[in-house]
Amino acid sequence: MEIHSGTKLGVLLIVLSLILLFSGCTQPATAPAGTPTPTAPTSTPAAPVANETLKTELAGIAATFAGKINGSTLAAAYQEGPNSTAYAEVLGQLRDFRLSDPRIKFVYTLAQQNGTVWFIVDSHHGLPEASQYLEVYEDAAPELKSPVTAPIGAGPYTDKWGTFYSGYAPVETGEHAPVFLIGVDMEA
């Protein structure tokens, strides 16, 4: 009986070794001389691919935020300015959005008309690094030179606040001009 169980164990080990060998789970102890040993590539994804992925992600984040902003309230904040209830309501939402993802540096709303872009509400309102109400965005991302009609990603680009990747999405206000946007920035 002991011989039979030893034989079973030996056959089992041989079968297991053959399975491992043929499935590529084992390697010979040394490579034959003159045969190059294949190596796996160790490079990371190319920067352009990573950039496009981040821009797509930011466009999606901006679209999500834009869907949560009440367009009528944003239009009222634009018309009434920083001392209005509408402005305070939008500001509170933008601050909540910024805190929802620690990677986000800035969240703000913009107006776009005739090739000009200007700020409306900035989540950093009242702080030194904030944009100002109706401040023209002189060094806006190139993607903002044309009217934004769908979520887009931008960057990297540099403005007076730093170098960023951004997402922009239109906010439905029922008005056709200006175009209202939400912007989301992550530092590059």
Side-chain angles (χ1 to χ4, degrees), residues 10-84:
V11 169
L12 182 59
L13 287 174
I14 291 172
V15 170
L16 182 59
S17 297
L18 289 173
I19 291 171
L20 290 173
L21 181 64
F22 288 114
S23 66
C25 293
T26 62
Q27 297 180 357
T30 59
T35 305
T37 305
T39 58
T42 57
S43 64
T44 57
V49 172
N51 291 353
E52 291 306 314
T53 300
L54 181 57
K55 291 191 303 190
T56 300
E57 178 184 6
L58 284 164
I61 291 170
T64 298
F65 292 169
K68 293 179 180 180
I69 291 281
N70 181 308
S72 298
T73 304
L74 178 57
Y78 170 70
Q79 294 294 326
E80 298 169 9
N83 297 322
S84 69

Side-chain angles (χ1 to χ4, degrees), residues 8-186:
K8 280 185 183 178
L9 182 59
V11 169
L12 182 59
L13 287 174
I14 291 172
V15 170
L16 182 59
S17 297
L18 289 173
I19 291 171
L20 290 173
L21 181 64
F22 288 114
S23 66
C25 293
T26 62
Q27 297 180 357
T30 59
T35 305
T37 305
T39 58
T42 57
S43 64
T44 57
V49 172
N51 291 353
E52 291 306 314
T53 300
L54 181 57
K55 291 191 303 190
T56 300
E57 178 184 6
L58 284 164
I61 291 170
T64 298
F65 292 169
K68 293 179 180 180
I69 291 281
N70 181 308
S72 298
T73 304
L74 178 57
Y78 170 70
Q79 294 294 326
E80 298 169 9
N83 297 322
S84 69
T85 303
Y87 191 97
E89 184 178 328
V90 172
L91 177 59
Q93 286 183 293
L94 296 182
R95 287 179 173 163
D96 289 343
F97 295 159
R98 185 175 54 82
L99 294 174
S100 70
D101 188 329
R103 301 173 301 160
I104 296 174
K105 177 70 174 180
F106 296 109
V107 179
Y108 46 89
T109 56
L110 300 168
Q112 219 185 14
Q113 187 173 14
N114 299 327
T116 302
V117 180
W118 58 95
F119 291 95
I120 305 170
V121 184
D122 185 327
S123 65
H124 282 71
H125 176 78
L127 299 174
E129 65 268 18
S131 60
Q132 301 302 308
Y133 171 69
L134 298 184
E135 175 183 348
V136 174
Y137 194 0
E138 296 290 343
D139 45 358
E143 289 82 355
L144 294 178
K145 292 186 188 297
S146 301
V148 175
T149 58
I152 61 168
Y157 67 94
T158 300
D159 61 20
K160 72 180 187 178
W161 292 278
T163 302
F164 299 98
Y165 287 94
S166 299
Y168 300 101
V171 176
E172 182 56 49
T173 61
E175 298 180 23
H176 298 290
V179 174
F180 293 97
L181 306 173
I182 191 159
V184 180
D185 295 345
M186 288 184 188

